[in-house]
Short mmCIF file of all heavy atoms in Angstrom, two decimals:
data_model
loop_
_atom_site.label_atom_id
_atom_site.label_comp_id
_atom_site.label_asym_id
_atom_site.label_seq_id
_atom_site.Cartn_x
_atom_site.Cartn_y
_atom_site.Cartn_z
N ARG A 180 133.28 122.81 158.70
CA ARG A 180 134.59 122.97 158.05
C ARG A 180 134.59 124.14 157.06
O ARG A 180 135.63 124.70 156.75
CB ARG A 180 134.99 121.68 157.35
CG ARG A 180 135.36 120.55 158.29
CD ARG A 180 135.83 119.33 157.52
NE ARG A 180 134.76 118.75 156.72
CZ ARG A 180 133.96 117.80 157.18
NH1 ARG A 180 134.08 117.33 158.41
NH2 ARG A 180 133.01 117.31 156.42
N ASP A 181 133.41 124.48 156.51
CA ASP A 181 133.33 125.53 155.51
C ASP A 181 133.17 126.88 156.21
O ASP A 181 132.09 127.48 156.19
CB ASP A 181 132.16 125.24 154.57
CG ASP A 181 132.22 126.09 153.31
OD1 ASP A 181 133.00 127.08 153.30
OD2 ASP A 181 131.49 125.80 152.36
N GLU A 182 134.24 127.38 156.83
CA GLU A 182 134.16 128.58 157.65
C GLU A 182 133.80 129.82 156.82
O GLU A 182 133.07 130.69 157.31
CB GLU A 182 135.49 128.81 158.38
CG GLU A 182 135.80 127.73 159.42
CD GLU A 182 137.09 128.02 160.16
OE1 GLU A 182 137.66 129.12 159.96
OE2 GLU A 182 137.51 127.16 160.95
N HIS A 183 134.29 129.91 155.61
CA HIS A 183 133.99 131.06 154.77
C HIS A 183 132.49 131.11 154.45
O HIS A 183 131.87 132.19 154.55
CB HIS A 183 134.80 130.99 153.47
CG HIS A 183 134.53 132.12 152.53
ND1 HIS A 183 134.89 133.42 152.82
CD2 HIS A 183 133.90 132.14 151.31
CE1 HIS A 183 134.50 134.21 151.80
NE2 HIS A 183 133.90 133.45 150.88
N ARG A 184 131.92 129.97 154.11
CA ARG A 184 130.50 129.94 153.79
C ARG A 184 129.67 130.26 155.03
O ARG A 184 128.66 130.97 154.95
CB ARG A 184 130.13 128.55 153.25
CG ARG A 184 128.69 128.46 152.77
CD ARG A 184 128.38 127.05 152.30
NE ARG A 184 127.00 126.92 151.90
CZ ARG A 184 126.36 125.77 151.84
NH1 ARG A 184 126.99 124.65 152.15
NH2 ARG A 184 125.10 125.73 151.46
N VAL A 185 130.07 129.76 156.18
CA VAL A 185 129.36 130.03 157.43
C VAL A 185 129.34 131.53 157.69
O VAL A 185 128.29 132.11 158.04
CB VAL A 185 130.03 129.29 158.61
CG1 VAL A 185 129.50 129.80 159.93
CG2 VAL A 185 129.79 127.78 158.49
N ARG A 186 130.46 132.19 157.51
CA ARG A 186 130.55 133.63 157.76
C ARG A 186 129.67 134.41 156.78
O ARG A 186 128.99 135.36 157.17
CB ARG A 186 132.00 134.09 157.66
CG ARG A 186 132.20 135.54 158.09
CD ARG A 186 133.66 135.92 158.05
NE ARG A 186 133.88 137.29 158.45
CZ ARG A 186 134.02 137.70 159.71
NH1 ARG A 186 134.00 136.80 160.68
NH2 ARG A 186 134.19 138.97 159.99
N ILE A 187 129.66 134.00 155.54
CA ILE A 187 128.81 134.68 154.54
C ILE A 187 127.35 134.56 154.92
O ILE A 187 126.58 135.53 154.86
CB ILE A 187 129.08 134.11 153.13
CG1 ILE A 187 130.46 134.57 152.64
CG2 ILE A 187 127.99 134.56 152.15
CD1 ILE A 187 130.86 133.95 151.32
N HIS A 188 126.92 133.37 155.33
CA HIS A 188 125.53 133.16 155.72
C HIS A 188 125.17 134.03 156.91
O HIS A 188 124.07 134.61 156.97
CB HIS A 188 125.30 131.68 156.05
CG HIS A 188 125.14 130.82 154.84
ND1 HIS A 188 124.29 129.73 154.81
CD2 HIS A 188 125.69 130.88 153.61
CE1 HIS A 188 124.34 129.17 153.62
NE2 HIS A 188 125.20 129.84 152.88
N ALA A 189 126.06 134.12 157.88
CA ALA A 189 125.79 134.93 159.06
C ALA A 189 125.67 136.41 158.70
O ALA A 189 124.76 137.11 159.16
CB ALA A 189 126.88 134.71 160.10
N LEU A 190 126.59 136.91 157.88
CA LEU A 190 126.56 138.32 157.48
C LEU A 190 125.34 138.62 156.64
O LEU A 190 124.73 139.70 156.75
CB LEU A 190 127.85 138.68 156.74
CG LEU A 190 129.11 138.76 157.60
CD1 LEU A 190 130.35 138.90 156.73
CD2 LEU A 190 129.01 139.93 158.58
N ASP A 191 124.95 137.69 155.76
CA ASP A 191 123.75 137.87 154.96
C ASP A 191 122.50 138.00 155.82
O ASP A 191 121.63 138.83 155.57
CB ASP A 191 123.57 136.71 153.98
CG ASP A 191 124.53 136.76 152.79
OD1 ASP A 191 125.18 137.81 152.62
OD2 ASP A 191 124.62 135.76 152.08
N ALA A 192 122.42 137.15 156.86
CA ALA A 192 121.27 137.22 157.75
C ALA A 192 121.22 138.55 158.49
O ALA A 192 120.15 139.16 158.64
CB ALA A 192 121.32 136.06 158.75
N LEU A 193 122.37 139.03 158.95
CA LEU A 193 122.43 140.32 159.63
C LEU A 193 122.06 141.46 158.68
O LEU A 193 121.32 142.39 159.06
CB LEU A 193 123.82 140.56 160.22
CG LEU A 193 124.19 139.70 161.43
CD1 LEU A 193 125.66 139.89 161.77
CD2 LEU A 193 123.32 140.05 162.61
N ASP A 194 122.53 141.37 157.45
CA ASP A 194 122.22 142.41 156.47
C ASP A 194 120.73 142.44 156.17
O ASP A 194 120.12 143.51 156.09
CB ASP A 194 123.03 142.15 155.18
CG ASP A 194 122.85 143.25 154.17
OD1 ASP A 194 123.01 144.44 154.52
OD2 ASP A 194 122.51 142.94 153.01
N TYR A 195 120.13 141.29 156.02
CA TYR A 195 118.70 141.20 155.71
C TYR A 195 117.86 141.88 156.79
O TYR A 195 116.85 142.53 156.51
CB TYR A 195 118.28 139.74 155.55
CG TYR A 195 116.82 139.57 155.19
CD1 TYR A 195 116.42 139.71 153.86
CD2 TYR A 195 115.85 139.30 156.15
CE1 TYR A 195 115.09 139.57 153.50
CE2 TYR A 195 114.53 139.16 155.82
CZ TYR A 195 114.14 139.29 154.49
OH TYR A 195 112.82 139.17 154.14
N LEU A 196 118.28 141.75 158.05
CA LEU A 196 117.52 142.30 159.16
C LEU A 196 118.01 143.69 159.58
O LEU A 196 117.59 144.22 160.61
CB LEU A 196 117.58 141.34 160.35
CG LEU A 196 116.89 140.00 160.14
CD1 LEU A 196 117.12 139.07 161.32
CD2 LEU A 196 115.40 140.17 159.90
N GLY A 197 118.90 144.27 158.79
CA GLY A 197 119.35 145.62 159.08
C GLY A 197 120.30 145.72 160.26
O GLY A 197 120.38 146.75 160.93
N LEU A 198 121.06 144.63 160.51
CA LEU A 198 121.94 144.59 161.68
C LEU A 198 123.41 144.53 161.32
O LEU A 198 124.25 144.41 162.21
CB LEU A 198 121.59 143.36 162.53
CG LEU A 198 120.19 143.31 163.14
CD1 LEU A 198 119.93 141.91 163.70
CD2 LEU A 198 120.05 144.36 164.23
N ALA A 199 123.74 144.61 160.05
CA ALA A 199 125.13 144.40 159.63
C ALA A 199 126.08 145.40 160.28
O ALA A 199 127.23 145.07 160.60
CB ALA A 199 125.24 144.49 158.10
N HIS A 200 125.63 146.64 160.52
CA HIS A 200 126.52 147.65 161.10
C HIS A 200 126.76 147.42 162.58
O HIS A 200 127.61 148.06 163.19
CB HIS A 200 125.93 149.05 160.88
CG HIS A 200 124.54 149.22 161.41
ND1 HIS A 200 123.45 148.52 160.91
CD2 HIS A 200 124.05 150.03 162.38
CE1 HIS A 200 122.37 148.89 161.54
NE2 HIS A 200 122.70 149.80 162.44
N PHE A 201 126.03 146.46 163.18
CA PHE A 201 126.26 146.08 164.58
C PHE A 201 127.12 144.83 164.71
O PHE A 201 127.35 144.35 165.83
CB PHE A 201 124.93 145.81 165.28
CG PHE A 201 124.03 147.00 165.43
CD1 PHE A 201 122.66 146.86 165.31
CD2 PHE A 201 124.55 148.26 165.72
CE1 PHE A 201 121.82 147.96 165.44
CE2 PHE A 201 123.72 149.36 165.87
CZ PHE A 201 122.34 149.21 165.72
N ALA A 202 127.60 144.28 163.61
CA ALA A 202 128.19 142.95 163.61
C ALA A 202 129.29 142.76 164.63
O ALA A 202 129.37 141.71 165.31
CB ALA A 202 128.72 142.59 162.21
N GLU A 203 130.16 143.74 164.81
CA GLU A 203 131.31 143.58 165.70
C GLU A 203 131.06 144.07 167.10
O GLU A 203 131.94 143.99 167.96
CB GLU A 203 132.53 144.31 165.09
CG GLU A 203 132.91 143.82 163.69
CD GLU A 203 133.21 142.32 163.66
OE1 GLU A 203 133.68 141.77 164.67
OE2 GLU A 203 132.97 141.71 162.59
N ARG A 204 129.88 144.60 167.39
CA ARG A 204 129.58 145.09 168.72
C ARG A 204 129.15 143.95 169.63
O ARG A 204 128.47 143.01 169.18
CB ARG A 204 128.47 146.14 168.66
CG ARG A 204 128.93 147.48 168.13
CD ARG A 204 127.81 148.50 168.14
NE ARG A 204 127.14 148.61 169.43
CZ ARG A 204 126.12 149.43 169.66
NH1 ARG A 204 125.66 150.19 168.68
NH2 ARG A 204 125.56 149.47 170.86
N PRO A 205 129.48 143.99 170.90
CA PRO A 205 129.00 142.97 171.83
C PRO A 205 127.50 143.09 172.00
O PRO A 205 126.91 144.17 171.91
CB PRO A 205 129.73 143.27 173.14
CG PRO A 205 130.14 144.70 173.02
CD PRO A 205 130.38 144.98 171.57
N VAL A 206 126.84 141.96 172.25
CA VAL A 206 125.39 141.92 172.38
C VAL A 206 124.93 142.71 173.59
O VAL A 206 123.85 143.33 173.57
CB VAL A 206 124.93 140.44 172.46
CG1 VAL A 206 123.49 140.36 172.96
CG2 VAL A 206 125.05 139.80 171.08
N MET A 207 125.70 142.70 174.65
CA MET A 207 125.31 143.37 175.88
C MET A 207 125.01 144.86 175.63
O MET A 207 125.79 145.55 174.99
CB MET A 207 126.41 143.23 176.94
CG MET A 207 126.06 143.80 178.31
SD MET A 207 127.43 143.57 179.47
CE MET A 207 127.60 141.79 179.50
N GLY A 208 123.87 145.31 176.13
CA GLY A 208 123.54 146.71 176.03
C GLY A 208 122.53 147.06 174.96
O GLY A 208 122.00 148.17 174.95
N PHE A 209 122.22 146.12 174.05
CA PHE A 209 121.24 146.42 173.03
C PHE A 209 119.84 146.37 173.63
O PHE A 209 119.55 145.61 174.54
CB PHE A 209 121.31 145.39 171.89
CG PHE A 209 122.40 145.66 170.91
CD1 PHE A 209 123.51 144.83 170.83
CD2 PHE A 209 122.33 146.74 170.05
CE1 PHE A 209 124.53 145.06 169.92
CE2 PHE A 209 123.33 146.99 169.13
CZ PHE A 209 124.43 146.15 169.07
N PRO A 210 118.89 147.17 173.08
CA PRO A 210 117.50 147.10 173.55
C PRO A 210 116.90 145.75 173.20
O PRO A 210 117.37 145.04 172.30
CB PRO A 210 116.81 148.25 172.82
CG PRO A 210 117.69 148.56 171.65
CD PRO A 210 119.09 148.22 172.07
N PHE A 211 115.82 145.42 173.91
CA PHE A 211 115.22 144.09 173.79
C PHE A 211 114.79 143.77 172.36
O PHE A 211 114.99 142.66 171.87
CB PHE A 211 114.03 143.98 174.74
CG PHE A 211 113.46 142.60 174.82
CD1 PHE A 211 114.13 141.58 175.49
CD2 PHE A 211 112.23 142.30 174.27
CE1 PHE A 211 113.62 140.30 175.57
CE2 PHE A 211 111.70 141.01 174.34
CZ PHE A 211 112.40 140.03 175.01
N ALA A 212 114.19 144.74 171.67
CA ALA A 212 113.74 144.50 170.30
C ALA A 212 114.89 144.13 169.38
O ALA A 212 114.76 143.29 168.49
CB ALA A 212 113.01 145.73 169.76
N THR A 213 116.05 144.76 169.60
CA THR A 213 117.23 144.41 168.79
C THR A 213 117.74 143.02 169.12
O THR A 213 118.16 142.27 168.24
CB THR A 213 118.34 145.46 169.01
OG1 THR A 213 117.83 146.76 168.69
CG2 THR A 213 119.55 145.16 168.13
N LEU A 214 117.71 142.65 170.41
CA LEU A 214 118.12 141.29 170.80
C LEU A 214 117.24 140.26 170.11
O LEU A 214 117.71 139.21 169.68
CB LEU A 214 118.03 141.14 172.30
CG LEU A 214 118.97 142.00 173.15
CD1 LEU A 214 118.74 141.76 174.63
CD2 LEU A 214 120.44 141.74 172.79
N LYS A 215 115.95 140.55 169.99
CA LYS A 215 115.04 139.64 169.29
C LYS A 215 115.46 139.47 167.83
O LYS A 215 115.41 138.37 167.27
CB LYS A 215 113.60 140.17 169.37
CG LYS A 215 112.96 140.05 170.74
CD LYS A 215 112.37 138.66 170.90
CE LYS A 215 111.48 138.59 172.12
NZ LYS A 215 110.80 137.27 172.24
N ARG A 216 115.82 140.58 167.20
CA ARG A 216 116.26 140.50 165.80
C ARG A 216 117.56 139.73 165.66
O ARG A 216 117.76 138.99 164.68
CB ARG A 216 116.42 141.90 165.22
CG ARG A 216 115.13 142.54 164.75
CD ARG A 216 115.41 143.74 163.91
NE ARG A 216 115.92 144.85 164.68
CZ ARG A 216 116.63 145.85 164.16
NH1 ARG A 216 116.96 145.86 162.89
NH2 ARG A 216 117.04 146.84 164.94
N ILE A 217 118.47 139.89 166.61
CA ILE A 217 119.74 139.15 166.56
C ILE A 217 119.45 137.65 166.67
O ILE A 217 120.04 136.84 165.92
CB ILE A 217 120.68 139.60 167.68
CG1 ILE A 217 121.09 141.07 167.47
CG2 ILE A 217 121.92 138.71 167.75
CD1 ILE A 217 121.80 141.70 168.65
N GLU A 218 118.56 137.27 167.56
CA GLU A 218 118.23 135.85 167.68
C GLU A 218 117.57 135.34 166.40
O GLU A 218 117.83 134.21 165.96
CB GLU A 218 117.33 135.61 168.87
CG GLU A 218 117.10 134.13 169.11
CD GLU A 218 116.31 133.82 170.36
OE1 GLU A 218 115.29 134.50 170.58
OE2 GLU A 218 116.70 132.92 171.10
N LEU A 219 116.73 136.17 165.79
CA LEU A 219 116.12 135.77 164.52
C LEU A 219 117.17 135.61 163.44
O LEU A 219 117.13 134.67 162.64
CB LEU A 219 115.08 136.81 164.11
CG LEU A 219 114.36 136.57 162.78
CD1 LEU A 219 113.67 135.21 162.77
CD2 LEU A 219 113.37 137.70 162.50
N ALA A 220 118.16 136.51 163.41
CA ALA A 220 119.24 136.40 162.43
C ALA A 220 119.99 135.09 162.62
O ALA A 220 120.39 134.43 161.65
CB ALA A 220 120.20 137.58 162.57
N ARG A 221 120.21 134.69 163.88
CA ARG A 221 120.89 133.43 164.15
C ARG A 221 120.10 132.25 163.58
O ARG A 221 120.69 131.32 163.01
CB ARG A 221 121.10 133.28 165.65
CG ARG A 221 121.89 132.04 166.02
CD ARG A 221 122.31 132.04 167.47
NE ARG A 221 121.18 132.03 168.37
CZ ARG A 221 121.30 132.12 169.70
NH1 ARG A 221 122.48 132.24 170.26
NH2 ARG A 221 120.23 132.08 170.46
N ALA A 222 118.79 132.29 163.71
CA ALA A 222 117.97 131.22 163.14
C ALA A 222 118.00 131.25 161.62
O ALA A 222 118.08 130.20 160.97
CB ALA A 222 116.53 131.34 163.66
N LEU A 223 117.95 132.44 161.02
CA LEU A 223 117.96 132.55 159.57
C LEU A 223 119.28 132.12 158.96
O LEU A 223 119.34 131.66 157.81
CB LEU A 223 117.65 133.97 159.14
CG LEU A 223 116.23 134.49 159.37
CD1 LEU A 223 116.13 135.94 158.92
CD2 LEU A 223 115.22 133.63 158.63
N ALA A 224 120.37 132.27 159.70
CA ALA A 224 121.69 131.92 159.20
C ALA A 224 121.82 130.44 158.92
O ALA A 224 122.75 130.02 158.20
CB ALA A 224 122.77 132.38 160.18
N ARG A 225 120.92 129.65 159.47
CA ARG A 225 120.92 128.22 159.19
C ARG A 225 120.31 127.89 157.84
O ARG A 225 120.31 126.74 157.42
CB ARG A 225 120.15 127.46 160.27
CG ARG A 225 120.69 127.60 161.67
CD ARG A 225 119.88 126.73 162.64
NE ARG A 225 120.46 126.72 163.97
CZ ARG A 225 119.89 127.27 165.03
NH1 ARG A 225 118.71 127.87 164.91
NH2 ARG A 225 120.48 127.22 166.20
N HIS A 226 119.72 128.90 157.18
CA HIS A 226 118.99 128.69 155.94
C HIS A 226 117.90 127.62 156.13
O HIS A 226 117.85 126.63 155.41
CB HIS A 226 119.93 128.32 154.80
CG HIS A 226 120.63 129.51 154.22
ND1 HIS A 226 120.40 129.98 152.96
CD2 HIS A 226 121.52 130.37 154.77
CE1 HIS A 226 121.13 131.07 152.74
NE2 HIS A 226 121.84 131.31 153.83
#
């Protein structure tokens, strides 16, 4: 229900891993190492 907090956590995780500038881009087409970082960001967003 706390959509604002969820979004902040997700953006913080992307920022920490240097991915914030990719936030609005579709995942398709990124190199494998970047996909690994995106998946890690998803795990970190859970705190």
